[in-house]
Amino acid sequence: MNKVYPDAKAALDGLVFDGMTIMAGGFGLCGIPENSIAALHDTGVKDLTVISNNCGVDGFGLGVLLDAKQIKKMVSSYVGENKEFERQYLEGELELEFNPQGTLAERIRAGGAGIPGFFTKTGVGTLIAEGKEHREFDGETYIMETGLTADVAIVKAWKADPQGNLMFRKTARNFNPMMATAGKITIAEVEEVVGLGELDPDQIHTPGIFVQRIVKGEFEKRIEQRTIRERENA
């Protein structure tokens, strides 16, 4: 089975349909699948449900899909960097399912592990808990959260081999590894494709069994918030 595709457009071929659910890795603009997002935009697909920690920024990352009105619903943890997101949500154009960040990560991990639901104390007594099952364990109240899966997961890794084994680099190892397990089809865009046997087995973060398609991409890697200070002796 050849998993390496020439570009993101080819990797998405045959997978895209209106109303589908997409998982998109990354945290802020770190480790986002830039090429797959651009290719999704070019397909014109609409009514997407997107599961991602955030929705990029205005005009970049998932913000590109938002600007084009291709996203119907976001399942997210943090959305504070995108003015268009704010506008669409407040005007009723966009659905939003908010999650505590740890809960979102665990919902994705659970979905990838085949776990349909779990109980957590996070969110008890808040708006997050409304409408959810409550249960007591050892005298403490917990709420039930459900696992998350997607029709397609798009992730960004550092290196891959032709079998789809993935290595992530530093902070880009955020939501990407767990999302790679939770998609019916997972597309990994990477900075480098190496030969079989070149990756140290002890350094592989995602086994190739979870990855169906691989793309070697070109990445802009924008900095979301650039903060600098003068040197003390300057």
Side-chain angles (χ1 to χ4, degrees):
M1 178 180 178
N2 178 29
K3 295 185 178 183
V4 181
Y5 285 68
D7 52 40
K9 177 181 178 181
L12 284 167
D13 186 45
L15 303 179
V16 176
F17 58 91
D18 291 345
M20 70 186 297
T21 298
I22 296 280
M23 276 188 186
F27 187 100
L29 297 182
C30 178
I32 65 171
E34 300 173 28
N35 299 270
S36 298
I37 292 169
L40 272 172
H41 171 266
D42 292 345
T43 67
V45 64
K46 58 183 184 297
D47 295 330
L48 295 172
T49 294
V50 178
I51 301 168
S52 183
N53 177 66
N54 60 291
C55 198
V57 296
D58 294 286
F60 192 68
L62 289 172
V64 173
L65 300 180
L66 199 66
D67 290 344
K69 303 290 185 66
Q70 291 173 274
I71 300 176
K72 177 183 179 182
K73 177 179 179 180
M74 285 296 304
V75 182
S76 296
S77 174
Y78 175 70
V79 295
E81 300 296 333
N82 196 312
K83 291 294 184 183
E84 177 62 13
F85 189 111
E86 178 184 17
R87 188 199 66 77
Q88 288 189 24
Y89 175 66
L90 292 177
E91 295 187 12
E93 300 174 9
L94 179 69
E95 298 176 42
L96 172 61
E97 184 179 330
F98 251 142
N99 296 258
Q101 195 163 88
T103 298
L104 179 63
E106 183 61 13
R107 291 183 71 190
I108 297 165
R109 191 203 67 80
I115 299 170
F118 60 92
F119 286 89
T120 176
K121 290 174 67 177
T122 305
V124 172
T126 73
L127 291 174
I128 294 294
E130 290 186 1
K132 295 177 180 175
E133 180 182 345
H134 289 59
R135 190 176 296 185
E136 284 198 5
F137 295 91
D138 297 324
E140 299 282 350
T141 301
Y142 292 72
I143 56 174
M144 190 180 80
E145 297 282 1
T146 55
L148 291 170
T149 58
D151 297 302
V152 174
I154 52 175
V155 301
K156 159 67 167 58
W158 180 31
K159 294 182 180 181
D161 66 19
Q163 291 183 343
N165 296 304
L166 303 179
M167 288 179 62
F168 301 92
R169 187 172 186 270
K170 298 184 177 180
T171 312
R173 187 182 172 188
N174 39 53
F175 283 84
N176 282 300
M178 62 196 77
M179 285 187 174
T181 71
K184 295 177 183 176
I185 298 292
T186 293
I187 299 172
E189 52 183 73
V190 301
E191 297 180 34
E192 184 179 357
V193 179
V194 302
L196 286 176
E198 290 189 35
L199 296 181
D200 181 346
D202 285 336
Q203 300 300 315
I204 291 171
H205 299 125
T206 297
I209 193 171
F210 293 111
V211 179
Q212 286 73 42
R213 303 186 179 190
I214 306 163
V215 176
K216 184 180 183 299
E218 298 293 330
F219 301 95
E220 185 176 341
K221 295 186 179 180
R222 289 193 195 179
I223 297 174
E224 185 173 1
Q225 297 285 355
R226 190 177 191 92
T227 304
I228 59 174
R229 66 179 181 181
E230 293 184 4
R231 295 181 181 272
E232 293 181 1
N233 298 325

